Amino acid sequence: MAPRAGLRSLLLWICTIFTILIHGAHSFYLPGVAPQDFINGAELMVKVNKLTSIKTQLPYSYYTLPFCTPSKIVDSAENLGEVLRGDRIENSPYVFNMGDAKMCNVLCRKTLDSKTAKAFKEKIDDEYRVNMILDNLPLVVPIQRLDQESPPVYQLGYHVGLKGQYSGSKEEKYFIHNHLSFIVKYHKDSQSNSARIVGFEVKPFSVKHTYEGKWSDEKPRLTSCDPHTRHTVVNSNSPQEVEDKAEIIFTYDVEFQDSDVKWASRWDAYLLMTDDQIHWFSIVNSLMIVLFLSGMVAMIMLRTLYRDISKYNELETQEEAQEETGWKLVHGDVFRPPFNSDLLCVYVGTGVQFFGMILVTMMFAILGFLSPSNRGGLMTAMLLLWVFMGIFAGYASTRLYKMFKGSEWKKIALRTAVMFPGVVSAIFFVLNALIWGQKSSGAVPFGTMFALIFLWFGISVPLVFVGSYIGFKKPAIEDPVKTNKIPRQIPEQAWYMNPAFSILIGGILPFGAVFIELFFILTSIWLNQFYYIFGFLFLVFAILMVTCAEITIVLCYFQLCSEDYLWWWRSYLTSGSSALYLFLYATFYFFTKLEITKLVSGALYFGYMLIASYAFFVLTGTIGFYACLWFTRLIYSSVKID
């Protein structure tokens, strides 16, 4: 009874820690954030977030540029995922009051020097966008489609500025967006006098503001736009240049629009796909092809195996058995422990950890717990789930290790706990040093780094050891046939059964099942777009599992039929080789879709895609390995062995 009570206490402790870490930073009603009601005249807190660029992939804090500042800059509470994403949410000098429209409101006046002008020009060159938040909604710029009847496309944030030329001049100038025309959309409650915010849009302008007489900070009066004369900014005919000693006046308008969109549906417009027909067609097409191939493979395997097993079981004499060739002849060697079996156990355990993390994450995402309204929620959940799935990693690696007649379970547990995270941490540390060298907000602070190390060594490592202890105490998995003392000689193989060739061929089908969805995932990560279709992603993940399992079983069967019994590592590498195609596709995507030119940004891209490919290798390899293990145990337990 005592061990069970201890296990229950451990599970309760894990659940408590998980709940605190998930909900500690942001309290909200699952699966979204709590709605907030605003009465007329209520103050609306506009917050600023990081500056982002798809050309550099290096985020910066809003106040790294000399924008207007409030009297005191206050950081908002951020969860682990937000910090790792480079989010830096702070208060702003923009003051809105619910229902109170403002026109040509002066924010501040700045005079640039050579240093600040250069900073603005660099950010304009790299096409940086300014991100803001109002009531947890990101600021967007509506862009009308060619089809006027279709709803507009929304781009996150507005550009810091733009480059252009005056008419009749070939010299390129830099212009800053110093006038922002905000539109706050709200949905009014018919039963009360309150309203809920359902939209936050902006139209940026570059305007060289003018004023009469001497400038007054207390009561500035502009002639370029004036609320008293109803003179508004509608275009950028006289734009504001960025240059040394340039005087820039920052202004903004606020307009409130009543909307029929309800609060629960306010994210729908943000998540509208611009290529929905292509997306649907691609997903369905991929699904049908893979399902068709899977059906064919399953049918061939079932018919062939049924015939083989029936034929072997009908053999009456030893002479007839000796005349036979095929997979039955290697029954005395097929369960011989492989070369470097310890490493295989470690990789299989890590793959189980990944599989559990992804499966639970997708379940949460499908149920709406990880919607875009919970910024950083997806990354936080994945990190925490990875940590807590360590117990399954330890269990799986040690169970396999004991099947290989191993006895030093602590050594396997330690390698399982530190090997994969250690490799990823080394790459991450180098990339973080590069980001820190660029003074980007994407660099992980020391406090967050310490938290990650605590999650690793304080929670993950102990859980791996707990899982390993439980797994090692279980009885060893018995082989369905006995292993001979002397290894059988493997006959010369045909060229198409060469390990390198069959492994590389085996990775094509699993990659083919996911590469269309991979395009959308890469686009959301590197082109700063939302990804929310987790239902489709779960479907693709299921297809990936089926294809990894089936292609590995088929190639394993052919390998055993040619009397090659070294299937352990090959089964892992066959489906795991799809990670190589993933990295090659990521390289193709880099050169065809992205406009990254800086060396540091390129290093970040390939560094993070290397980590993603490594993780994909571990996941798909483990799925293929377990499918092959189940298959070999099944067929060798189905035949009579003398």
Side-chain angles (χ1 to χ4, degrees):
M1 291 295 291
R4 290 185 179 179
L7 188 59
R8 282 198 298 269
S9 302
L10 176 67
L11 291 173
L12 183 63
W13 174 73
I14 289 173
C15 292
T16 305
I17 294 288
F18 185 80
T19 306
I20 292 171
L21 286 169
I22 279 287
H23 302 300
H26 292 285
S27 297
F28 52 83
Y29 297 103
L30 294 174
V33 295
Q36 191 170 355
D37 297 310
F38 299 95
I39 59 172
N40 236 14
E43 187 170 298
L44 304 179
M45 299 295 296
V46 180
K47 297 178 181 179
V48 290
N49 199 351
K50 60 187 175 184
L51 307 172
T52 56
S53 166
I54 61 174
K55 290 185 72 175
T56 69
Q57 303 296 335
L58 293 167
Y60 286 91
S61 170
Y62 176 83
Y63 291 113
T64 54
L65 287 180
F67 287 118
C68 303
T69 58
S71 54
K72 183 183 179 183
I73 298 174
V74 181
D75 291 334
S76 296
E78 293 165 329
N79 60 37
L80 187 60
E82 285 179 301
V83 175
L84 293 175
R85 277 161 36 103
D87 285 349
R88 296 295 180 267
I89 302 171
E90 298 157 314
N91 61 329
S92 78
Y94 294 94
V95 179
F96 296 177
N97 294 95
M98 192 67 195
D100 182 13
K102 292 183 179 179
M103 184 188 299
C104 200
N105 209 62
V106 177
L107 203 61
C108 73
R109 184 184 66 149
K110 293 272 185 179
T111 302
L112 302 183
D113 54 26
S114 58
K115 186 179 178 181
T116 52
K118 183 184 176 184
F120 271 123
K121 287 179 179 180
E122 286 176 349
K123 294 297 183 286
I124 293 171
D125 260 330
D126 291 329
E127 298 179 10
Y128 270 86
R129 304 180 79 93
V130 178
N131 294 280
M132 295 184 180
I133 301 168
L134 176 64
D135 189 35
N136 205 46
L137 271 181
L139 180 68
V140 292
V141 177
I143 298 174
Q144 193 62 45
R145 301 195 203 190
L146 295 176
D147 180 9
Q148 295 294 323
E149 296 179 0
S150 300
V153 178
Y154 292 102
Q155 289 190 349
L156 285 173
Y158 68 91
H159 282 113
V160 172
L162 70 159
K163 290 191 291 185
Q165 300 166 339
Y166 289 111
S167 57
S169 171
K170 292 184 178 180
E171 186 183 359
E172 200 166 47
K173 298 282 189 180
Y174 292 84
F175 304 102
I176 186 172
H177 286 136
N178 61 321
H179 180 83
L180 304 177
S181 184
F182 293 106
I183 298 174
V184 178
K185 295 183 178 181
Y186 64 91
H187 182 77
K188 197 150 191 174
D189 190 348
S190 55
Q191 297 180 348
S192 66
N193 197 30
S194 62
R196 291 177 178 176
I197 294 171
V198 295
F200 186 33
E201 300 175 7
V202 70
K203 290 181 181 177
F205 298 95
S206 179
V207 181
K208 185 173 178 61
H209 284 300
T210 54
Y211 54 92
E212 291 179 354
K214 194 176 180 181
W215 175 262
S216 170
D217 287 327
E218 299 299 324
K219 292 184 178 180
R221 189 76 179 266
L222 303 177
T223 54
S224 47
C225 70
D226 192 349
H228 301 286
T229 59
R230 311 298 295 176
H231 178 48
T232 61
V233 174
V234 291
N235 55 43
S236 300
N237 282 340
S238 179
Q240 174 63 60
E241 278 188 43
V242 176
E243 56 186 358
D244 187 18
K245 297 184 174 55
E247 182 186 57
I248 301 177
I249 299 171
F250 291 90
T251 56
Y252 67 97
D253 304 332
V254 184
E255 180 186 349
F256 289 85
Q257 291 182 2
D258 194 359
S259 174
D260 295 330
V261 176
K262 294 186 177 180
W263 186 89
S265 306
R266 65 179 187 166
W267 278 88
D268 291 356
Y270 288 62
L271 304 176
L272 186 68
M273 291 183 291
T274 58
D275 48 6
D276 48 354
Q277 290 182 345
I278 298 172
H279 191 101
W280 276 91
F281 175 77
S282 300
I283 292 293
V284 172
N285 185 52
S286 176
L287 177 64
M288 296 308 295
I289 290 172
V290 171
L291 287 178
F292 175 71
L293 289 173
S294 300
M296 285 186 62
V297 167
M299 184 178 67
I300 292 168
M301 290 304 302
L302 287 172
R303 290 188 62 182
T304 307
L305 272 174
Y306 180 76
R307 187 178 67 246
D308 281 357
I309 291 171
S310 299
K311 185 171 64 175
Y312 281 135
N313 287 341
E314 287 171 2
L315 295 176
E316 295 179 359
T317 66
Q318 187 67 23
E319 289 76 17
E320 287 178 319
Q322 287 175 352
E323 289 173 7
E324 288 298 327
T325 59
W327 55 269
K328 189 183 176 186
L329 291 182
V330 295
H331 67 83
D333 298 274
V334 74
F335 292 106
R336 189 182 303 281
F339 171 75
N340 209 348
S341 58
D342 292 7
L343 184 62
L344 181 63
C345 296
V346 170
Y347 268 116
V348 168
T350 305
V352 169
Q353 190 174 5
F354 252 110
F355 181 79
M357 176 196 75
I358 290 173
L359 192 64
V360 178
T361 301
M362 284 191 183
M363 291 297 182
F364 277 130
I366 289 170
L367 294 172
F369 289 94
L370 301 175
S371 68
S373 58
N374 301 324
R375 270 182 316 277
L378 179 63
M379 190 171 287
T380 305
M382 290 180 72
L383 272 171
L384 296 176
L385 283 169
W386 164 265
V387 167
F388 295 128
M389 288 295 164
I391 192 167
F392 298 106
Y395 181 84
S397 60
T398 313
R399 286 286 282 158
L400 187 61
Y401 179 67
K402 193 169 184 181
M403 191 179 84
F404 291 149
K405 309 296 186 290
S407 58
E408 299 178 11
W409 67 271
K410 292 179 183 177
K411 181 181 72 173
I412 293 298
L414 182 63
R415 289 179 68 181
T416 304
V418 302
M419 196 182 80
F420 181 85
V423 172
V424 171
S425 298
I427 299 172
F428 180 75
F429 182 79
V430 172
L431 296 179
N432 195 61
L434 292 175
I435 299 171
W436 180 79
Q438 298 292 312
K439 299 179 181 178
S440 166
S441 66
V444 178
F446 176 77
T448 306
M449 196 75 80
F450 179 78
L452 292 173
I453 293 172
F454 170 75
L455 286 174
W456 180 8
F457 288 101
I459 301 177
S460 180
V461 173
L463 286 178
V464 171
F465 272 88
V466 170
S468 297
Y469 177 77
I470 296 170
F472 197 73
K473 286 298 178 185
K474 290 265 186 180
I477 301 170
E478 294 294 332
D479 297 332
V481 290
K482 291 182 180 179
T483 302
N484 296 333
K485 290 183 179 179
I486 301 173
R488 179 188 178 90
Q489 188 173 357
I490 299 172
E492 189 176 346
Q493 301 292 302
W495 66 270
Y496 52 83
M497 290 307 297
N498 180 276
F501 180 78
S502 62
I503 285 169
L504 290 174
I505 289 296
I508 294 175
L509 190 59
F511 172 75
V514 299
F515 89 95
I516 296 174
E517 199 65 24
L518 182 65
F519 170 80
F520 293 100
I521 294 171
L522 290 178
T523 300
S524 70
I525 294 172
W526 300 107
L527 296 182
N528 203 24
Q529 296 180 12
F530 286 117
Y531 185 89
Y532 69 101
I533 42 175
F534 291 105
F536 273 122
L537 188 60
F538 184 78
L539 185 62
V540 170
F541 180 61
I543 294 170
L544 175 67
M545 287 191 294
V546 172
T547 50
C548 282
E550 289 190 346
I551 194 66
T552 309
I553 288 172
V554 169
L555 293 177
C556 180
Y557 174 70
F558 292 152
Q559 180 186 351
L560 294 175
C561 284
S562 61
E563 301 177 33
D564 182 357
Y565 53 83
L566 302 177
W567 63 272
W568 297 97
W569 271 109
R570 199 188 292 196
S571 65
Y572 196 99
L573 296 173
T574 294
S575 51
S577 65
S578 56
L580 174 64
Y581 297 103
L582 187 151
F583 190 77
L584 291 175
Y585 180 77
T587 305
F588 171 78
Y589 185 88
F590 177 85
F591 288 108
T592 57
K593 297 295 180 183
L594 301 181
E595 298 177 16
I596 293 175
T597 53
K598 292 190 176 181
L599 183 62
V600 171
S601 303
L604 288 179
Y605 177 84
F606 284 105
Y608 285 128
M609 290 314 301
L610 184 63
I611 292 175
S613 301
Y614 187 30
F616 194 71
F617 164 74
V618 171
L619 172 68
T620 53
T622 301
I623 294 171
F625 172 82
Y626 272 116
C628 212
L629 179 63
W630 168 82
F631 170 73
T632 50
R633 291 181 63 82
L634 179 69
I635 63 173
Y636 283 101
S637 61
S638 301
V639 295
K640 297 180 216 174
I641 305 293
D642 294 329

